[in-house]
Amino acid sequence: MAVFTTVRTEDQSSYSETNARMEDLVKDVPGYLGMDHAQTPGGLGITVGYFRDADALTRWRTDAEHRAAQQRGRDEWYRSYTLHVAKVERSSGFTREFAKADVPESPAVD
């Protein structure tokens, strides 16, 4: 697992296009399992990439197109970033089954 936290600069020229390309490219890495992403209104971004093993993460880290995007991120898009690589020992989750009482009613429209 790779946890990538960022604070971006104001100049985000071509960031969205490059990010979309990286999201497509990583899907082709054998052992890539998926990702989660969140961003605060203040600009802190967190992306968690899930990989089956260290070899899969190494393949992604060393991909030439990804390396070029990393350099552009350092040069243009990120004020700062931190990368943590970890092994998931256990994972669990919860999803609420929504009952009618959980969903707010829309106001009537006349």
Side-chain angles (χ1 to χ4, degrees), residues 14-100:
S14 301
Y15 178 85
S16 294
E17 295 86 350
T18 302
N19 186 56
R21 172 64 184 144
M22 293 302 103
E23 287 184 10
D24 284 342
L25 187 63
V26 72
K27 291 175 186 173
D28 292 334
V29 173
Y32 169 73
L33 303 174
M35 86 171 64
D36 294 315
H37 178 77
Q39 179 113 18
T40 69
L44 174 66
I46 300 173
T47 300
V48 181
Y50 303 97
F51 296 84
R52 181 179 49 237
D53 53 32
D55 290 340
L57 184 55
T58 297
R59 281 191 290 279
W60 175 237
R61 181 178 52 85
T62 59
D63 178 89
E65 195 172 345
H66 182 219
R67 300 285 295 173
Q70 290 172 335
Q71 186 60 53
R72 190 160 181 205
R74 285 188 293 273
D75 292 344
E76 300 176 36
W77 300 317
Y78 300 127
R79 181 168 295 140
S80 64
Y81 72 82
T82 304
L83 174 65
H84 302 281
V85 175
K87 183 176 179 181
V88 176
E89 296 293 332
R90 189 175 77 102
S91 181
S92 62
F94 170 80
T95 301
R96 177 177 302 280
E97 296 282 335
F98 286 101
K100 185 173 178 171

